Amino acid sequence: MKKIATAILVFDLMAGLLFLGLWESNGEMITWKETTGKTVTGTQADRLAVPEQTHDSQEEIRKIAITFDDGPHPSYTEQLLDGLKERGVHATFFVTGEHAKMHPDIIKRMQEEGHLIGNHTYSHIQLTPKNREKFKQELIDTNAVIQEITGEEVQYVRPPYGAWDKSFEKELNMFPVLWTVDPLDWCSSNVACITEKIVDKAGENDIILMHDYFDTSVTAALKAIDELMEEGYTFVTVEEILFD
Ligand SMILES: [Zn+2]
């Protein structure tokens, strides 16, 4: 009996020493240089964990932007803002001066909730070779309306129908933002069809064009956001797509 007890004790001691040894070799502090050039001190386990974490976080961020033109609409835009807030999604709104002036509270809410606000002319006019000065004045007037509400300078413009004159960029210090995915939401009242068009066409770094002036567009946009988030996309403002 005594022999067995001694054997168990010896075995236990050896196992304990072995465990201690393993723990020590894993816990030993070492110093290494990261790819950024930074010298880091830690355990071997820390060293192995670092590149893996960096790799994962880089791979996971697939950015995409959704934009809404023509608003704010007195009820649909608020509905949309509620939905975006619930999902923690930031969007970009290209508003007309006319509608912004009518609904300053909605513009303020967009700003407070982290959305980007851009210019979509005052009365939604299309630039033609004949109306250059009028178009330019509409941009200036809309900037003034938005700036009065938000206190911030407006830097981005979405020209209606995409018609633009590059010389405005220097003259007004404004940057045009077009789009890469157009589901033509304004010409369909079929929510499922609009959602499908967005989800099918959208990919990384795309800028989706929508309008917060129709309830079907708002419903479809939120559904598409849900599906794309499930696919791993992160919604950002156009600024983050264009300049990050
Ligand atoms: Zn428009």
Side-chain angles (χ1 to χ4, degrees):
M1 208 54 166
K2 213 174 180 187
K3 266 188 186 165
I4 295 171
T6 313
I8 290 172
L9 184 70
V10 169
F11 179 77
D12 271 353
L13 270 171
M14 280 173 71
L17 282 171
L18 188 70
F19 175 75
L20 204 68
L22 283 173
W23 180 80
E24 265 188 352
S25 73
N26 269 340
E28 200 178 279
M29 300 303 267
I30 51 167
T31 302
W32 69 93
K33 215 171 199 160
E34 283 190 335
T35 44
T36 52
K38 212 172 109 188
T39 305
V40 186
T41 303
T43 63
Q44 183 65 20
D46 290 336
R47 184 182 182 176
L48 292 173
V50 173
E52 209 175 307
Q53 275 174 6
T54 316
H55 184 68
D56 277 349
S57 64
Q58 271 176 355
E59 266 206 349
E60 273 168 20
I61 299 174
R62 290 157 77 202
K63 292 190 283 188
I64 195 163
I66 191 157
T67 65
F68 296 93
D69 289 7
D70 300 358
H73 181 279
S75 52
Y76 304 145
T77 305
E78 294 265 31
Q79 259 177 48
L80 175 62
L81 287 170
D82 290 343
L84 295 174
K85 196 178 180 182
E86 258 172 50
R87 292 160 176 80
V89 162
H90 289 157
T92 305
F93 289 88
F94 291 100
V95 301
T96 66
E98 216 166 39
H99 291 154
K101 203 174 182 142
M102 278 195 267
H103 309 290
D105 47 328
I106 303 179
I107 298 288
K108 193 83 198 141
R109 181 175 170 196
M110 288 171 182
Q111 182 194 24
E112 282 166 2
E113 293 179 3
H115 305 293
L116 184 65
I117 304 163
N119 188 324
H120 197 46
T121 75
Y122 199 89
S123 66
H124 204 273
I125 60 163
Q126 181 172 8
L127 176 69
T128 68
K130 286 182 184 167
N131 69 1
R132 191 183 186 281
E133 283 316 300
K134 185 178 184 327
F135 184 91
K136 185 180 171 184
Q137 194 55 49
E138 286 219 6
L139 293 179
I140 294 169
D141 293 345
T142 305
N143 279 351
V145 171
I146 301 170
Q147 204 172 332
E148 203 188 308
I149 304 165
T150 63
E152 279 175 28
E153 211 176 298
V154 184
Q155 280 180 291
Y156 301 98
V157 50
R158 169 158 291 152
Y161 316 101
W164 183 243
D165 177 337
K166 237 183 135 32
S167 51
F168 286 135
E169 288 162 40
K170 254 196 167 163
E171 287 171 37
L172 300 171
N173 193 27
M174 293 190 83
F175 194 83
V177 178
L178 299 181
W179 55 88
T180 54
V181 174
D182 181 2
L184 301 174
D185 60 308
W186 51 273
C187 72
S188 167
S189 56
N190 185 331
V191 170
C193 179
I194 305 169
T195 308
E196 203 182 300
K197 271 192 208 164
I198 301 170
V199 176
D200 280 356
K201 290 181 191 170
E204 196 170 350
N205 292 322
D206 265 328
I207 296 177
I208 305 163
L209 168 66
M210 291 289 283
H211 299 82
D212 51 335
Y213 226 71
F214 310 98
D215 59 345
T216 42
S217 296
V218 169
T219 311
L222 294 173
K223 279 194 174 167
I225 287 171
D226 286 340
E227 286 187 31
L228 290 167
M229 282 173 86
E230 211 150 280
E231 283 181 26
Y233 287 100
T234 300
F235 281 85
V236 296
T237 63
V238 294
E239 198 165 41
E240 287 172 76
I241 295 275
L242 298 169
F243 297 108
D244 268 9

